Amino acid sequence: MKKIIAIFGLSVLFVSCSDDDPITDPTEPTPITYTSGSADFTKYVSVGNSLTAGYSDNALFIDGQTASYPNMLASNFALVGGGDFKIPFMADNLGGLTLGGSALDGFGNRLYLSFATGSPNPIPVSGNGSTEVTNVVAGPFNNMGVPGAHSYHLIAPGYGNVQALPNANPYFIRMASSPNSTVLADAVSQNATFFSLWIGSNDILGYALVGGDAEDHNSTGNLDPATYGRNDITNTNTFASVYGGILAALTSNDADGVVANIPDVTAVPYFTTVPYNPVPLDAPTAGFLNSASAYGAYNGGLAQLNGLGLLSDEELAKRTINFSAGASNAVVIFDEDLTDLTIYNPALTNMRQATADDLIVLTARSFIGTLADPNNPSSVNGIGVPLADKWVLTPEEQLSVTNAVTEYNQVIATLAAQYNLAIVDANAYLNNVATTGVSLSDGSSVTATYATGGAFSLDGVHLSPRGYALVANLFIKSINTKYGSDLPGVNPLDYKGLYIN
């Protein structure tokens, strides 16, 4: 009997150990399996400008490229069969470019926040950037984001030809498959199964960054981008033609994709940080500025023309300049949209004080209060000397920007529907970041406040790594909705809100 019981016990043990279900550690989490839906993420190529490249803090550098939103997307795509994602990495984390061994003007090191003077001040990191433009890196590259690119630059032969500088792009020179290839051709040649496209911001942004001191080709009717200046607004019809051609090429092998629309460029910290009224004055200085020896004579001339019926009451009030003792005096600016009164009196130039409706550019903060003439203490920029057009985006100039953004986004929405693509409303989302902020899982909030908000980098235009993570999740959400995938996105808290040094 004991033997029978023992044999029975062994048989029970054998059966229990031979169960088809594997033995698992109950403390280990069950692996999550994600699905791609109807999309094929095997070969992903991203196309765009600096926002696609991972540009941050006024430069492109290795850490920024690693924290680009396309690289974050690629990490999600890898969960459902996505392949490698190759990036044309810079040579270092400084960001500066060289040409023939000499620093390339306008392409300096990235910024960081220095407290050396006691108050925070963004300055370039020290050191010599080692990224030589003529050292072409071997592609092809999945991240085809080219800082500075307008929409029409993506189809421009020679945009990567060093012999074509300054019309060529230094970033594309070092990654182009050949000097006369195009960004689009290099992207299409990879036969992507999935693509992202975020282009068009620079077609408007340059105009805004220089305070509207450029051409708006929606008003001029010029359709030829070969004649455009680097800061001009691209004509909407030209943009539509170029954008449609880009999508036709990217979908030529039946690739799926996602596109993003154009953010409101005037909502970034570059235009919302410097107040219109930053000037502190004591009573004697304010009195002098209001006297006949300064702006009093200008005001008197305006009043005289108003009395003659040559200047409206409304414009008289708009142009009259007045200072007071206190900390919040408005700067004086030139405004080309004012009535030209110099035909009556050459001294009555187009001057007025700024209002809350004007946007002072970020770079003006280090210019306002300096002397235009070191030998003349009255030549204070923004006070004794009006700020030039490039320092201020007036309401009329803002309207040109707003109209272009609205029209471009209508084009993008129409073409995205035509090509059956996912679309990201970056405009609405980044406006939300600017107005109310976005809450994160730890209870913190990401806003567009300069330097401390966490969404934007120190150049006031480009996103921080955390800002790019928010955008990556926005892309993922649109992709999941369109293609039925269930990609998880990324955790913004895993990415910096600001590079410390």
Side-chain angles (χ1 to χ4, degrees), residues 258 422-424 473-483:
V258 58
I423 183 168
V424 174
N473 285 339
L474 197 63
F475 271 77
I476 291 294
K477 181 179 179 181
S478 295
I479 291 168
N480 285 344
T481 299
K482 179 66 177 178
Y483 299 107

Side-chain angles (χ1 to χ4, degrees), residues 271 274-277 330 352-360 393 395 398:
F271 298 103
V274 179
Y276 74 94
N277 58 347
R352 65 174 176 86
Q353 280 180 292
T355 72
D357 293 328
D358 295 301
L359 299 178
I360 311 299
L393 201 63
Q398 292 171 48

Side-chain angles (χ1 to χ4, degrees), residues 39-317:
D40 180 358
F41 300 112
T42 305
K43 180 74 171 183
Y44 166 51
V45 173
S46 61
V47 181
N49 52 34
S50 52
L51 294 172
T52 296
Y55 197 97
S56 195
D57 291 329
N58 209 39
L60 190 65
F61 50 97
I62 292 174
D63 285 353
Q65 292 174 286
T66 302
S68 65
Y69 80 83
N71 199 36
M72 298 179 198
L73 296 187
S75 70
N76 265 227
F77 297 161
L79 300 173
V80 290
D84 292 337
F85 190 77
K86 190 171 181 179
I87 299 170
F89 281 117
M90 299 283 281
D92 53 46
N93 267 317
L94 298 179
L97 294 176
T98 62
L99 180 62
S102 299
L104 186 59
D105 188 40
F107 297 88
N109 289 353
R110 65 180 176 87
L111 302 175
Y112 80 103
L113 207 57
S114 170
F115 292 83
T117 59
S119 59
N121 182 40
I123 62 173
V125 295
S126 60
N128 298 317
S130 57
T131 305
E132 168 62 34
V133 171
T134 58
N135 288 342
V136 178
V137 287
F141 298 102
N142 301 79
N143 193 328
M144 295 298 298
V146 181
H150 294 56
S151 60
Y152 52 84
H153 286 148
L154 300 185
I155 59 173
Y159 194 52
N161 190 340
V162 70
Q163 302 300 322
L165 284 171
N167 294 321
N169 186 301
Y171 295 105
F172 187 52
I173 288 171
R174 61 183 300 272
M175 62 185 281
S177 62
S178 69
N180 290 316
S181 183
T182 69
V183 178
L184 182 60
D186 281 3
V188 171
S189 67
Q190 299 181 60
N191 293 313
T193 61
F194 195 88
F195 69 88
S196 63
L197 175 66
W198 198 6
I199 195 70
S201 290
N202 288 335
D203 294 65
I204 306 170
L205 180 64
Y207 176 91
L209 293 180
V210 296
D213 190 16
E215 291 287 342
D216 172 11
H217 291 300
N218 279 319
S219 61
T220 66
N222 183 357
L223 301 176
D224 183 8
T227 65
Y228 292 0
R230 63 178 296 180
N231 296 317
D232 291 354
I233 294 178
T234 302
N235 181 275
T236 299
N237 290 328
T238 299
F239 175 79
S241 175
V242 170
Y243 199 92
I246 293 170
L247 287 185
L250 291 173
T251 59
S252 59
N253 67 338
D254 297 323
D256 290 319
V258 58
V259 301
N261 65 12
I262 309 303
D264 177 4
V265 299
T266 63
V268 301
Y270 191 89
F271 298 103
T272 61
T273 301
V274 179
Y276 74 94
N277 58 347
V279 181
L281 294 174
D282 55 28
T285 303
F288 169 76
L289 290 170
N290 292 331
S291 71
S293 299
Y295 289 110
Y298 175 77
N299 292 339
L302 297 176
Q304 184 179 27
L305 292 180
N306 173 255
L308 295 172
L310 299 173
L311 185 67
S312 69
D313 292 343
E314 181 183 7
E315 189 163 352
L316 172 64

Side-chain angles (χ1 to χ4, degrees), residues 17-50:
C17 291
S18 303
D19 197 297
D20 291 336
D21 294 331
I23 299 174
T24 59
D25 183 348
T27 63
E28 292 183 0
T30 303
I32 299 175
T33 301
Y34 298 102
T35 58
S36 60
S38 63
D40 180 358
F41 300 112
T42 305
K43 180 74 171 183
Y44 166 51
V45 173
S46 61
V47 181
N49 52 34
S50 52

